Amino acid sequence: MRGSSLATRLFVSATAWVVVILAITGVILSSVYRDATERAFDRRLNLYLRTLIAEVATPDEPPDRQFQSLGEPLFDLPLSGWYWQITRTDTEKGETRASRSLWDKKLPKLEEHGAELTAAGVRLGYVDGPEGQSLRIVERPVDLGADGKFLVSVAGDATEIFDETRSFDYYLGGTFAALGIVLLLTTIFQVRYGLAPLKRISDAIADIRSGRAERLEGQFPVEIAPLARETNALIDANREIVERSRTHVGNLAHAIKTPLSVIVNEAAAHAADPFANKVLEQADVMRDQVAHHLERARIAARVTIVSTITEVAPVIEALRRTMEKIHRDRAISIEAKADPAARFRGERQDLEEMVGNLVDNACKWAVSQVFIEVLVESPEQPGAGPRLRIVVDDDGRGLSEAERAQVSRRGQRLDESKPGSGLGLSIVTDLAGLYGGNLTLRNAPIGGLRAELVLPGV
C-alpha cells in the first residue's frame, strides 16, 4: 500500500485510532486497578487500626495481653515494613508505644506532611519508612476524655501495591499488544475487502485501455455502481463524439476537394496566363495544407478512441512483402527482424501508416538494401508500460542535419523527382506524438538514413 493510496490512508488512520484508544483504555484500567488495590490495602490497614483503637480504649487490659490480637506476625519481625505506633498527644512527654517491628524507630506523622482528615476521621498517605521503604500509612486521632488523647498509626509496605499494579500493567500491556495486532490485521483485511470493488474497477479500466474489454462489466456494491454506470456512459459518449468527428472530417474532405479540383482544372485551361500559373501554385499549396490538416484531424479522432492492441510482427512482415512488390523494378532487398512479443498499444491502421511511410521513404532513397528491426524496451519509470522501438535503415545517400530538419517540417521535400506530397514524415511525427511517441532521424550504420520510431507497447 503506497503512501498516497486510499488503502494506506485508511490503514494509517485506523492504526492511529487503535493505538490511541488502546493507550487511553490501558491507562484508565491501570489507574482503576491501582485504586482498587490501594483500597483493599487500606481496608486491611483500617482493620488493624480499629483493633488498636479498641485496645487503647480498654486500659484495664493487662499489659501482657494488650495488642496481642492483631494476628499479623510481620508486626513482630524487625523492620519488616509493617508497623503500628500509638502516641499520646495530651502530654508534653508524648509517651509512645510501637510494634516490635519498628525497633527503635518512629513513624512520621501524616499531619506534619499536610494530609487532611477524611470524612471517616482518618488520614491516609505514603511516607518513607525506617529503612527507606515506601509505606502506606493510616492514622487516626483518638480522644478518650480523662484517659487521654492518642494518635494511632498503622503502616504497611507499599511495595505490595506497586508490585501488584506493575504485574497487572505487564499482563495488560501484553494483552493489549496482542489485541492491537489482531485489530491491525483485521483492519488490513477490512481495507482490502472493502476496497476490492475499486480494485476491480481499476483493473477493468486498464483492460479497456489495453483493448481487452470495451465496458465495465459485473456487479458492484451500491456505493460503486453509479461510478461504473457513469464510466460506461462516458465511454459510450466518447465513441459517439469520435464517430461524429470522423463523419465531419470525411464530409469536409469531400466538400473542399471538389472546389479545389474545379479551381485547378480552370487554371490548367489557361496555362499560358501567369495569373493561372500562380493560382495553380497556390492551389497545390492549399491541397497539401488541406491534406495535412484533414489527415491530422482523422488521426486525432482515431487515437481518441479507447486503445486496442496490435501484434507488430505480422504488420511488419506484411509491409515488407508489399514494399518489395512495389519496388520490384529496383531490386530493393528488404530485411525485417521483429520481436514476436512486440505489441503496439493502438490501432493496426495507424501502425501500418507510420511504419509504411518510413519503409516507403527508405525504399525510395535506398540503393539496394533496407533493414527493419523492432525492439521491445523495458519501462523507464515504475508503473509505466514497455516501449516499442522500430528502426528503419537504408543504404542511400543519407541526410545532413539541416536536411533532416527540413524533411521533418510539414510538406518539405528534398527532391521533386521523387513521387509523393512530402507529408509522409510529417504525418508519422504527428501520429507518433498523439500516441505519446516520437520519431528521430540520424545516420544509419549501413550508410544511409536511420529512422527510429518509439511507440507505447504492452
Side-chain angles (χ1 to χ4, degrees):
M1 295 180 291
R2 293 180 295 277
S4 59
S5 71
L6 182 60
T8 301
R9 295 173 63 184
L10 291 175
F11 176 75
V12 170
S13 61
T15 300
W17 278 111
V18 166
V19 171
V20 170
I21 291 173
L22 290 181
I24 294 175
T25 304
V27 170
I28 293 175
L29 289 178
S30 177
S31 177
V32 169
Y33 184 81
R34 179 187 175 89
D35 291 343
T37 304
E38 198 173 74
R39 285 195 301 271
F41 197 84
D42 290 345
R43 283 195 296 269
R44 185 178 173 187
L45 293 178
N46 276 298
L47 176 62
Y48 296 141
L49 180 69
R50 287 194 296 269
T51 303
L52 287 172
I53 292 173
E55 297 286 354
V56 171
T58 55
D60 297 335
E61 188 75 21
D64 60 341
R65 294 186 57 187
Q66 277 191 321
F67 314 117
Q68 298 299 313
S69 58
L70 292 181
E72 178 56 75
L74 290 174
F75 286 122
D76 295 326
L77 186 64
L79 303 176
S80 64
W82 286 84
Y83 314 105
W84 61 261
Q85 178 178 284
I86 301 174
T87 304
R88 186 156 186 169
T89 59
D90 60 345
T91 62
E92 293 182 2
K93 186 176 180 179
E95 178 185 352
T96 300
R97 285 177 289 179
S99 63
R100 293 178 182 177
S101 58
L102 196 54
W103 206 244
D104 59 348
K105 310 291 184 179
K106 287 187 177 182
L107 291 176
K109 296 179 180 180
L110 287 179
E111 184 179 7
E112 296 175 355
H113 288 74
E116 300 291 336
L117 285 172
T118 65
V122 299
R123 294 186 179 92
L124 291 165
Y126 290 95
V127 296
D128 292 331
E131 293 295 310
Q133 302 159 310
S134 180
L135 302 178
R136 178 70 172 171
I137 186 171
V138 57
E139 66 180 30
R140 180 173 181 176
V142 178
D143 187 355
L144 298 179
D147 293 330
K149 297 181 180 180
F150 302 88
L151 181 66
V152 183
S153 304
V154 179
D157 191 353
T159 305
E160 293 185 17
I161 300 175
F162 303 148
D163 288 346
E164 284 197 34
T165 304
R166 189 180 302 110
S167 178
F168 177 79
D169 289 343
Y170 286 151
Y171 285 116
L172 183 66
T175 301
F176 273 21
L179 179 61
I181 293 174
V182 172
L183 289 176
L184 292 181
L185 293 176
T186 303
T187 300
I188 292 175
F189 172 77
Q190 288 179 333
V191 169
R192 290 186 178 277
Y193 180 77
L195 297 182
L198 291 178
K199 181 66 166 57
R200 286 171 50 203
I201 285 186
S202 176
D203 293 341
I205 291 176
D207 289 340
I208 293 173
R209 289 288 300 168
S210 63
R212 292 188 294 269
E214 295 185 354
R215 297 172 58 83
L216 295 178
E217 304 292 347
Q219 297 293 325
F220 296 96
V222 176
E223 296 81 3
I224 305 298
L227 174 62
R229 288 196 301 269
E230 292 301 323
T231 301
N232 285 331
L234 182 61
I235 293 173
D236 294 338
N238 180 70
R239 288 198 178 98
E240 292 177 2
I241 292 173
V242 170
E243 290 300 326
R244 286 199 298 269
S245 299
R246 283 180 171 179
T247 301
H248 292 327
V249 168
N251 293 340
L252 181 61
H254 289 293
I256 292 178
K257 284 181 179 179
T258 300
L260 275 178
S261 298
V262 172
I263 292 173
V264 170
N265 292 335
E266 289 297 326
H270 302 81
D273 189 346
F275 177 76
N277 290 331
K278 192 65 174 179
V279 170
L280 283 174
E281 177 186 337
Q282 293 303 312
D284 287 338
V285 173
M286 291 173 60
R287 181 178 294 167
D288 290 342
Q289 294 285 342
V290 169
H292 170 77
H293 288 291
L294 288 178
E295 181 66 13
R296 185 180 177 88
R298 182 186 64 80
I299 290 170
R302 191 165 64 241
V303 172
T304 307
I305 301 176
V306 176
S307 299
T308 58
I309 303 300
T310 301
E311 298 288 341
V312 177
V315 173
I316 298 298
E317 180 59 24
L319 285 173
R320 185 192 68 79
R321 292 196 300 266
T322 301
M323 291 300 169
E324 279 189 340
K325 292 179 181 178
I326 293 175
H327 299 279
R328 183 173 53 249
D329 56 333
R330 297 179 54 217
I332 299 296
S333 173
I334 304 176
E335 182 181 353
K337 180 182 178 182
D339 188 335
R343 292 187 298 171
F344 167 56
R345 188 185 294 275
E347 291 195 356
R348 180 187 181 99
Q349 180 181 350
D350 294 334
L351 180 63
E352 290 175 343
E353 185 158 7
M354 287 185 285
V355 179
N357 272 301
L358 295 180
V359 176
D360 183 52
N361 185 74
C363 290
K364 289 177 181 178
W365 293 95
V367 175
S368 62
Q369 185 180 7
V370 172
F371 179 72
I372 309 170
E373 184 178 16
V374 179
L375 305 172
V376 179
E377 299 180 342
S378 300
E380 296 180 355
Q381 299 177 350
R387 307 287 286 178
L388 292 180
R389 185 175 296 275
I390 302 175
V391 180
V392 180
D393 292 342
D394 66 72
D395 62 349
R397 69 177 184 86
L399 297 175
S400 65
E401 290 188 11
E403 290 173 329
R404 289 198 294 269
Q406 180 180 348
V407 299
S408 296
R409 292 195 294 270
R410 182 173 63 245
Q412 297 296 315
R413 300 171 59 187
L414 295 176
D415 191 348
E416 296 295 332
S417 65
K418 301 291 183 182
S421 63
L423 294 174
L425 292 181
S426 177
I427 290 174
V428 173
T429 301
D430 290 341
L431 187 51
L434 291 172
Y435 275 106
N438 60 79
L439 174 65
T440 304
L441 302 179
R442 62 186 65 183
N443 294 326
I446 60 177
L449 180 67
R450 163 170 286 190
E452 289 190 6
L453 178 63
V454 178
L455 297 171
V458 178

